C-alpha cells in the first residue's frame, strides 16, 4: 500500500508511448470507449438519470482515475481497416425473460495470437470465473458450474447491486490484487479457504461481457456491441470493486509479450463480430505465458518434513473416460496449504489407485490414493516423452472446476500427443531423461541422495533445486564457473541449522574443485566449480546459497568485478532503493564506468561493475569506499557508509566491503536460504520499477520469467573491458570486445 503504482511511475503505454488521457481523447483509438455511439437501429436499454449516473461512477464523482494493469500491457494502435460499428449489420437484441442460469462461454487454448481486424484482445485474469445476476429479488453470484457463491463474494454482490440498471447478467473474473496490482491467485485461494471462512471480502470483479440488461437479452449481439453497453454501466477506469476488463483491437502479439513481462497469466482473444455462445468454441481463444491448467488429484505423498501434510500431489486427467496419470507436483505449497490439502485428501482416501494398473512401481511407491474429487491448478514447463509434467508447481485447488471435465489441454497448432498422434506424425523431441539410482536420483550426471528432502518450507526438494540449476545453466554458469566460492549449507533445510563454509569438508564430490592459493598466513585452499556437474554437487551437499569472489581462480589477486551492495533499512521504500541504484550508475558513468544491476533475493540491489583485471584488491576496495563516502557526504539523509544497524533507520547502507580480498556477494541466479526460495536475478536497467521487487522472483517463478524474456540483460558484462579510474577524478578507459 505504501508503494507507488507501477503506472504512476511508468504511465505511458508500452506499445504507443501515449498516456491514458491521450488514448481516451483519440476516438480512433483501439481501446474501447465508454462514450462510443450506440447503433440507432437497436433498442436502447433503460439508462439512469444523469444524477444517478454521476453517483454511480467514482470517476465522474471526482475520484482520481486509477491507471489499470491493462494500460501497462498495451493500448494498441487503431485498426484503420475496421469499419465503424454503426456501419455494419447486426442482429437485433430482443425483450426476453431473465434466464435463471447461463453456461459460460469458454476459450480454446492456442499457441499463437490470432491476427486480423475481427479479433480483440484482453488480459487473462488469474482468478475465478463468475456469472452474476441482478434482479428485483437481489444479486446472485454463481460459479461456472452454477453454484451459488454470493455469500463468498459479498463485496462483488454489493457492487453489482449498486449498478444503474434493474436487471443485469454479467460475465467476469473475480480476483484479489497483489502488491504490484496484478491478480494474486494464491491470495484468492487463501481467502476462500476454510481457515478464513471461505469469504473473499477484498475480491474484485473484472467484467468482460454483458449478457442481459433491463429486459433485453444481449447474447445474440456481436461482442463489440455487448462491450459498448457494458461500458455504459461499468465505466472504463472505474477503481472500485466492479471494474471493466478493457481490451485492444490490434497487435495482440505485443499485448501478450507485455502481459508476460508483467507476470500475468496470458491473454484472451475474441471475435468482435460474434454472439455469445456457451461452451468451448473458437470464437474465444486463450494464449498463456506459461503452460498451466487444472489436473485431477488422484493421490498424494505425505511430507517428510511435517506430519499431517502433503509433500507432493499425484495428478491426472481424463482421456476416453479413464483417469490418465500426468505425474506429480511437489512444489508451490506453503506449510499451511500443505496441511489444509492433507485434511481434504485424508477424508477422501481409498485403498486402490484411481489410475488402475497403469503406473510403474516407482510411481506407486509411497502414494496414498484418494477419490478423484479434487481439482488442482498446476503451472508446468512442458511434458516428458512419457507424458509426465515437467517442473510442475501447485497454484491452488479449484472448487469451481468439475474434476470429471478435466482433460489435457493441447493448443491447436502444437505438437500432437505422442500417445494419440496419427501415423506418420512427428512428436516434439523429449528432454533428457532423469536417471534413477539406488536410494536417490541423478541430475546432470550427478547422483543425489535423498532427492525428496525438503529444503524450503514451501515443499521445494533437493532434486527440484538441482533441476532448477540444470535448467538455467546457460545463465548461471558465466557468473560462477572458475571463481573462488563461499557457501551457505543447510543440511536440514531453511529455518534449521545453516552455516557458512569456504573450505573442503568430508565427502566433498569430485566435481567440486580445490586449489591452494597464497595467503597472508601461508596457503589457503579455495573451492570452485567448472561446470553444471559442480553446481549440482553443491546441491547434493545442501548448499542453498553460492557466493563467488569478485575475481577468478586464474587471477585471484586482481578483481574483475566491483559489487556495490545497497542494503536499505526496513522502513526504506523500494522506490528509494531503485533511486539509489540509479544514483550509483550515474556516478559510475561520470568516471567512465559502465555497470549492471541485479536483485539480492531480499530487499536490496547490487550494482556490479565489470573490470579488466589490473588493479589489486586494495585499489578496488579503496575506489568502492570513496564512492560510498561521496554518496553519504552528498546525501546524508539517504545514505550511510558504515555498517551500523542502530544508525541505519531511514537510510540505505552503501556496503563497499564486498570488494575486499576474500569478501563475497550472493551470486547471480543463486537461490537464497530464505522463505519462498528467492533468487538473485540480473535485470536490465529499464526493468527497475515499483512493480518488480527482488524478493518476488523465486525458484518457482524464475524459469517462466526467463522463457518470457529471452534477452539476457547481462549478455555484455563479460565483453566490456574497462579499467579502474584513479581516485583523483580521472575517467576510466573502456572498450568492448566480442
Amino acid at each position: 500500500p505504501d508503494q507507488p503504482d507501477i503506472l504512476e511511475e511508468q504511465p505511458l503505454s508500452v506499445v504507443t508511448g501515449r498516456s491514458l488521457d491521450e488514448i481516451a481523447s483519440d476516438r480512433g483509438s483501439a481501446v474501447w470507449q465508454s462514450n462510443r455511439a450506440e447503433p440507432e437501429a437497436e433498442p436502447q436499454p433503460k439508462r439512469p438519470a444523469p444524477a444517478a449516473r454521476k453517483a454511480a461512477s467514482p470517476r465522474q464523482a471526482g475520484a482520481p482515475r486509477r491507471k489499470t494493469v491493462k494500460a501497462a500491457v498495451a493500448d494498441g494502435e487503431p485498426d484503420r481497416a475496421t469499419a465503424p460499428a454503426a456501419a455494419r449489420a447486426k442482429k437485433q437484441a430482443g425483450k426476453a425473460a431473465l434466464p435463471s442460469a447461463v453456461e459460460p462461454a469458454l476459450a480454446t487454448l492456442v499457441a499463437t495470437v490470432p491476427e486480423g481486424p475481427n479479433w480483440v484482445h484482453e488480459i487473462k485474469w488469474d482468478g475465478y470465473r463468475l456469472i452474476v445476476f441482478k434482479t428485483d429479488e437481489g444479486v446472485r453470484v454463481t460459479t461456472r458450474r452454477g453454484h451459488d457463491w454470493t455469500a463468498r463474494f459479498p463485496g462483488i454482490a454489493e457492487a453489482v447491486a449498486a449498478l444503474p440498471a434493474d436487471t443485469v447478467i454479467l460475465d467476469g473474473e473475480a480476483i484479489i490484487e497483489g502488491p504490484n496490482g496484478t491478480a494474486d491467485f494464491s491470495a484468492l485461494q487463501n481467502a476462500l479457504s476454510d481457515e478464513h471462512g471461505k469469504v473473499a471480502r477484498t475480491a474484485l470483479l473484472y467484467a468482460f461481457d454483458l449478457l442481459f440488461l433491463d429486459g433485453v437479452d444481449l447474447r445474440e449481439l456481436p461482442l463489440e456491441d455487448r462491450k459498448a453497453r457494458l461500458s455504459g454501466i461499468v465505466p472504463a477506469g472505474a477503481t472500485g470493486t466492479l471494474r471493466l476488463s478493457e481490451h485492444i483491437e490490434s497487435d495482440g502479439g505485443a499485448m501478450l509479450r507485455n502481459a508476460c513481462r508483467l507476470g500475468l497469466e496470458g491473454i484472451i482473444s475474441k471475435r468482435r463480430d460474434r454472439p455469445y455462445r456457451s461452451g468451448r468454441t473458437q470464437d474465444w481463444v486463450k494464449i498463456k505465458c506459461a503452460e498451466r491448467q487444472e489436473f485431477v488429484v488422484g493421490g498424494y505423498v505425505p511430507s517428510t518434513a511435517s506430519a499431517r501434510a502433503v509433500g507432493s500431489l499425484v495428478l491426472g486427467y481424463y482421456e476416453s473416460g479413464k483417469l490418465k496419470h500426468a505425474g506429480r507436483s511437489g512444489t508451490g505449497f506453503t506449510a499451511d496449504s500443505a496441511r489444509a490439502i492433507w485434511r481434504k485428501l485424508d477424508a477422501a482416501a481409498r485403498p486402490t489407485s484411481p489410475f488402475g494398473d497403469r503406473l510403474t512401481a516407482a510411481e506407486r511407491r509411497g502414494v496414498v490414493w484418494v477419490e478423484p474429487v479434487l481439482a488442482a491448478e498446476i503451472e508446468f514447463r512442458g511434458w516428458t516423452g512419457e507424458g509426465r509434467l515437467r517442473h510442475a508447481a501447485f497454484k491452488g485447488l479449484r472448487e469451481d472446476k468439475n474434476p470429471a471435465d478435466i482433460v489435457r489441454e493441447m493448443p491447436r497448432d502444437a505438437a500432437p500427443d505422442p500417445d494419440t498422434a496419427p501415423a506418420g506424425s512427428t512428436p516434439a523431441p523429449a528432454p533428457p531423461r532423469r536417471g534413477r539410482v539406488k536410494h536417490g536420483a541423478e541430475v546432470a550426471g550427478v547422483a543425489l541422495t535423498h532427492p525428496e528432502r525438503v529444503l524450503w518450507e514451501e515443499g521445494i526438494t533437493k532434486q527440484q533445486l538441482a533441476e532448477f540449476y540444470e535448467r538455467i545453466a546457460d545463465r548461471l554458469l558465466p557468473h560462477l564457473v572458475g571463481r573462488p566460492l563461499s557457501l551457505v549449507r543447510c543440511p536440514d533445510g531453511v529455518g534449521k541449522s545453516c552455516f557458512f563454509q569456504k573450505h573442503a569438508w568430508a565427502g566433498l564430490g569430485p566435481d567440486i574443485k580445490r586449489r591452494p592459493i597464497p595467503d597472508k598466513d601461508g596457503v589457503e585452499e579455495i573451492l570452485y566449480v567448472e561446470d553444471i556437474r559442480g553446481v549440482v554437487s553443491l546441491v547434493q551437499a545442501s548448499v542453498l546459497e553460492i557466493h563467488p569472489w569478485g575475481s577468478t581462480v586464474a587471477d585471484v589477486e586482481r578483481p574483475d568485478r566491483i559489487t556495490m551492495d545497497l542494503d536499505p533499512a526496513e522502513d526504506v521504500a523500494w522506490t528509494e532503493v531503485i533511486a539509489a541504484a540509479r544514483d550509483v550508475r550515474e556516478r559510475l558513468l561520470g568516471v567512465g564506468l559502465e555497470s549492471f544491476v541485479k536483485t539480492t533475493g531480499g530487499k536490496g540491489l547490487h550494482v556490479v561493475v565489470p573490470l579488466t583485471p589490473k588493479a589489486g584488491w586494495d585499489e578496488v576496495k579503496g575506489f568502492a569506499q570513496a564512492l560510498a563516502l561521496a554518496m553519504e557526504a552528498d546525501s546524508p539523509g539517504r545514505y550511510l557508509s558504515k555498517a551500523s544497524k542502530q544508525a541505519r533507520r531511514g537510510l540505505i547502507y552503501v556496503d563497499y566491503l564486498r570488494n575486499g580480498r576474500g569478501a563475497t556477494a550472493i551470486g547471480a541466479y543463486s537461490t537464497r536460504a530464505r522463505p519462498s526460495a528467492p533468487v538473485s536475478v540480473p535485470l536490465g536497467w529499464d526493468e527497475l520499477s515499483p512493480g518488480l521487487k527482488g524478493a518476488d522472483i523465486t525458484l518457482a517463478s524464475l524459469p517462466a520469467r526467463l522463457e518470457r524474456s529471452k534477452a539476457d540483460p547481462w549478455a555484455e558484462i563479460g565483453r566490456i573491458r574497462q579499467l579502474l579510474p584513479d581516485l583523483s577524478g580521472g575517467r576510466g578507459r573502456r572498450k568492448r570486445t566480442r
Side-chain angles (χ1 to χ4, degrees):
D2 59 340
Q3 303 293 343
D5 189 286
I6 181 173
L7 296 171
E8 297 292 343
E9 295 292 310
Q10 300 178 10
L12 300 184
S13 163
V14 293
V15 173
T16 67
R18 298 183 297 170
S19 70
L20 284 178
D21 291 336
E22 291 170 330
I23 297 165
S25 65
D26 180 3
R27 287 184 173 265
S29 171
V31 180
W32 290 103
Q33 304 289 343
S34 62
N35 58 357
R36 283 191 175 171
E38 293 286 345
E40 294 181 0
E42 295 184 6
Q44 298 297 315
K46 184 166 55 182
R47 300 294 297 274
R53 290 200 302 269
K54 184 175 182 180
S57 171
R59 182 159 57 91
Q60 292 174 339
R65 177 177 179 134
R66 183 181 184 274
K67 296 175 177 63
T68 63
V69 173
K70 176 262 173 188
V73 177
D75 62 69
E77 286 299 328
D79 190 338
R80 303 303 182 189
T82 302
R88 294 194 302 270
K90 307 174 188 66
K91 294 182 180 180
Q92 298 296 310
K95 292 284 185 177
L98 188 78
S100 60
V102 174
E103 181 186 355
L106 302 176
T108 299
L109 179 66
V110 297
T112 56
V113 181
E115 299 179 353
N118 287 327
W119 291 95
V120 295
H121 314 280
E122 300 179 19
I123 291 171
K124 188 178 190 304
W125 298 105
D126 192 6
Y128 270 32
R129 182 75 173 274
L130 298 178
I131 303 291
V132 187
F133 299 77
K134 178 185 178 183
T135 68
D136 293 340
E137 298 177 356
V139 172
R140 184 163 48 92
V141 179
T142 65
T143 69
R144 60 185 291 174
R145 296 172 63 187
H147 297 309
D148 190 334
W149 277 19
T150 310
R152 303 180 79 170
F153 291 103
I156 291 174
E158 292 173 5
V160 174
L163 284 176
D166 295 331
T167 56
V168 172
I169 301 179
L170 292 175
D171 190 357
E173 190 93 353
I175 72 160
I176 288 182
E177 283 190 322
N180 61 356
T182 61
D184 187 335
F185 186 75
S186 296
L188 182 60
Q189 284 283 306
N190 188 48
L192 294 172
S193 66
D194 293 329
E195 288 78 3
H196 292 81
K198 295 186 176 182
V199 179
R201 300 185 186 282
T202 60
L204 315 172
L205 181 70
Y206 272 97
F208 47 70
D209 216 321
L210 181 63
L211 313 184
F212 203 96
L213 179 63
D214 284 338
V216 179
D217 189 340
L218 306 178
R219 286 175 290 178
E220 290 301 318
L221 293 180
L223 171 68
E224 61 179 344
D225 296 335
R226 302 195 306 271
K227 274 287 207 174
R229 294 171 184 253
L230 175 61
S231 67
I233 60 171
V234 184
T239 61
T241 299
L242 184 57
R243 302 178 183 181
L244 179 67
S245 182
E246 303 174 64
H247 55 260
I248 66 170
E249 296 185 10
S250 62
D251 205 353
M255 185 179 191
L256 177 65
R257 289 190 296 273
N258 288 302
C260 295
R261 180 178 61 82
L262 291 171
L264 305 179
E265 188 181 356
I267 68 171
I268 298 280
S269 298
K270 300 177 181 179
R271 284 290 299 261
R272 64 189 301 163
D273 56 341
R274 296 294 174 85
Y276 189 91
R277 289 290 179 256
S278 297
R280 199 173 303 279
T281 72
Q282 294 183 7
D283 292 348
W284 293 13
V285 297
K286 55 187 175 183
I287 310 94
K288 298 183 179 181
C289 296
E291 294 190 72
R292 181 167 165 173
Q293 71 161 87
E294 301 81 28
F295 288 92
V296 180
V297 180
Y300 69 95
V301 177
S303 171
T304 59
S306 302
R308 302 169 70 84
V310 298
S312 63
L313 300 179
V314 182
L315 305 169
Y317 58 91
Y318 282 99
E319 184 176 275
S320 301
K322 295 181 179 180
L323 188 61
K324 186 172 182 179
H325 184 224
R328 299 185 185 184
S329 173
T331 187
F333 310 106
T334 64
D336 289 341
S337 67
R339 288 190 289 267
I341 296 168
W342 180 89
R343 288 192 293 271
K344 291 178 180 292
L345 295 179
D346 183 61
R350 57 182 278 174
T352 59
S353 168
F355 301 99
D357 58 357
R358 293 182 292 277
L359 277 68
T360 66
E363 290 172 333
R364 300 170 69 91
R365 187 177 299 122
V367 175
V368 178
W369 305 114
V370 300
E371 297 291 343
V373 294
L374 291 181
E377 180 102 359
I378 303 294
E379 184 173 287
F380 56 100
R381 300 290 175 262
W383 297 80
T384 70
E386 294 80 22
R388 304 295 183 260
L389 297 171
R390 298 179 64 239
H391 303 283
F394 173 79
K395 306 303 289 186
L397 294 178
R398 296 300 301 251
E399 295 181 60
D400 60 331
K401 301 294 177 73
N402 184 358
D405 296 335
I406 292 175
V407 297
R408 177 174 171 179
E409 293 186 351
M410 290 289 292
R412 286 182 299 164
D413 44 358
D417 185 334
D419 292 336
T420 59
S425 64
T426 304
R433 295 181 61 179
R434 296 284 182 269
R436 300 295 300 181
V437 298
K438 187 177 182 179
H439 306 306
E442 186 177 284
V443 177
V446 176
L448 298 179
T449 59
H450 302 292
E452 78 289 347
R453 178 168 292 159
V454 176
L455 299 178
W456 279 271
E457 190 180 43
E458 289 74 17
I460 301 169
T461 65
K462 180 190 289 188
Q463 183 171 351
Q464 289 168 332
L465 176 59
E467 292 176 346
F468 165 76
Y469 280 142
E470 183 188 33
R471 184 176 183 188
I472 66 166
D474 59 331
R475 296 288 185 98
L476 169 75
L477 295 179
H479 312 295
L480 198 61
V481 164
R483 293 181 179 275
L485 302 176
S486 293
L487 311 166
V488 175
R489 295 178 63 194
C490 304
D492 296 315
V494 173
K496 306 293 177 58
S497 177
C498 297
F499 52 90
F500 209 70
Q501 184 148 9
K502 54 190 289 191
H503 302 301
W505 59 88
L508 188 72
D511 294 300
I512 303 174
K513 308 299 182 181
R514 294 182 279 185
R515 175 179 292 190
I517 61 172
D519 184 69
K520 62 181 180 180
D521 298 323
V523 175
E524 177 186 14
E525 185 179 66
I526 59 172
L527 304 176
Y528 66 100
V529 297
E530 295 179 331
D531 50 28
I532 190 58
R533 290 174 59 93
V535 177
V536 175
S537 295
L538 295 177
V539 175
Q540 163 59 18
S542 297
V543 171
L544 303 193
E545 293 190 5
I546 308 173
H547 296 248
W549 285 29
S551 67
T552 64
V553 171
D555 199 350
V556 171
E557 303 304 332
R558 297 191 299 177
D560 66 345
R561 289 189 181 181
I562 302 172
T563 298
M564 301 300 295
D565 181 9
L566 301 173
D567 185 7
E570 292 292 341
D571 57 344
V572 174
W574 173 242
T575 51
E576 290 299 313
V577 184
I578 294 173
R582 290 174 174 152
D583 187 4
V584 173
R585 184 192 190 197
E586 290 302 315
R587 290 170 184 267
L588 291 167
L589 287 173
V591 294
L593 294 177
E594 191 168 339
S595 60
F596 297 78
V597 66
K598 71 180 179 72
T599 68
T600 64
K603 59 185 183 298
L605 289 170
H606 285 167
V607 179
V608 180
V609 184
L611 291 176
T612 300
K614 182 176 181 181
W617 285 107
D618 289 344
E619 290 177 82
V620 169
K621 182 179 177 182
F623 175 84
Q625 181 181 21
L627 177 58
L629 290 171
M631 293 176 68
E632 182 181 39
D634 292 344
S635 302
R638 296 177 63 194
Y639 304 125
L640 182 72
S641 64
K642 294 182 176 61
S644 170
K645 288 189 177 293
Q646 187 174 7
R648 200 185 301 184
R649 180 173 298 177
L651 302 176
I652 297 172
Y653 171 40
V654 184
D655 184 0
Y656 63 88
L657 298 175
R658 304 285 179 180
N659 303 289
R661 188 187 188 280
T664 61
I666 188 69
Y669 299 106
S670 169
T671 57
R672 302 303 303 266
R674 298 173 179 175
S676 301
V679 181
S680 176
V681 181
L683 304 174
W685 282 106
D686 60 345
E687 290 185 275
L688 287 180
S689 71
L692 180 64
K693 296 182 180 179
D696 294 339
I697 306 177
T698 66
L699 180 150
S701 66
L702 179 60
R705 171 184 165 82
L706 296 182
E707 288 182 6
R708 293 192 299 261
S709 184
K710 300 295 185 182
D712 182 357
W714 279 25
E716 297 292 310
I717 197 169
R719 302 186 180 113
I720 292 174
R721 299 292 178 262
Q722 54 190 13
L723 298 175
L724 191 71
D726 61 55
L727 300 182
S728 62
R731 293 177 61 83
R733 290 174 291 159
R734 181 176 68 209
K735 65 178 180 179
R736 184 171 299 169
T737 60
R738 299 185 182 276

